[in-house]
Amino acid sequence: MRPTEALGVPAWRLLRGPAVLDLLAVGATIGQVAALADILEPVLLRRQSIGDVAAPAAMLVTLTLVRAALLGLREVAGQRAAVRVKSLLRVSLFARLMHLRPSTVQGERAGELVSLAGDGIERLDSYVSRYLPQSVLSVTGPALVVAYVFWLDQLSAGLLLLSAPVIPLLMVAVGSY
């Protein structure tokens, strides 16, 4: 069995719910930023009153609540996926141990095997529930932001794409001092 599968169920199938909820939360964040811009630009630059931006303010509050709900649902979905993956791994491990000959595990202590398998699988919790969906988000989230900026202004999106490779270099440079 491949490490990315648990009893024939690909891990990505179990984790696509949390990943989709993360992407929807990124969309809500982009909406929040757009609503905030729709509030600040008229008030600060055109000197309009706060009452003139009631619709964008309502949208900002709504998107804030939607984003909070999406992140809460993502946490629940991630925990459920982690429980499912750990359960499938335990069943798979037990089945694998049952197919081994006694001579294979003869020199091992049974308690150590059980403890190692139990603790090792339990430590996968945050990896499965948070890290794996976050790794999907780290690739697709910036792509969504660039797509939104491209929709607004192609030149700004081009500059964003050109400057993006420089950011890790600057992080390394700042971190080394």
Side-chain angles (χ1 to χ4, degrees):
M1 177 168 41
R2 291 178 280 180
T4 56
E5 289 187 6
L7 292 182
V9 179
W12 65 266
R13 280 177 133 183
L14 298 172
L15 298 169
R16 67 179 165 204
V20 166
L21 289 167
D22 267 338
L23 292 176
L24 291 173
V26 168
T29 303
I30 292 170
Q32 284 177 297
V33 171
L36 188 60
D38 289 344
I39 293 169
L40 294 178
E41 189 263 332
V43 171
L44 296 179
L45 298 179
R46 291 190 265 144
R47 306 279 188 224
Q48 292 182 352
S49 70
I50 299 288
D52 294 334
V53 291
M59 181 60 75
L60 178 62
V61 169
T62 302
L63 287 170
T64 300
L65 295 173
V66 166
R67 182 171 173 260
L70 287 168
L71 291 175
L73 288 171
R74 191 236 337 127
E75 189 67 27
V76 169
Q79 288 298 321
R80 285 186 178 172
V83 167
R84 177 90 168 122
V85 166
K86 290 187 309 182
S87 174
L88 291 171
L89 282 173
R90 281 187 188 100
V91 169
S92 177
L93 179 63
F94 181 72
R96 180 83 171 152
L97 286 173
M98 295 310 295
H99 283 95
L100 294 176
R101 284 189 255 160
S103 61
T104 307
V105 291
Q106 185 176 8
E108 303 294 327
R109 296 181 190 171
E112 286 180 10
L113 285 175
V114 171
S115 177
L116 180 62
D119 290 343
I121 289 175
E122 276 307 309
R123 289 185 183 147
L124 289 174
D125 201 35
S126 62
Y127 176 77
V128 172
S129 66
R130 291 193 181 104
Y131 176 77
L132 290 177
Q134 193 69 31
S135 65
V136 171
L137 182 64
S138 67
V139 173
T140 55
L144 286 175
V145 171
V146 169
Y148 179 71
V149 171
F150 185 81
W151 180 66
L152 292 176
D153 183 22
Q154 291 81 21
L155 179 62
S156 296
L159 291 172
L160 187 63
L161 286 173
L162 286 174
S163 64
V166 176
I167 293 171
L169 297 175
L170 291 175
M171 291 172 66
V172 168
V174 170
S176 65
Y177 288 107

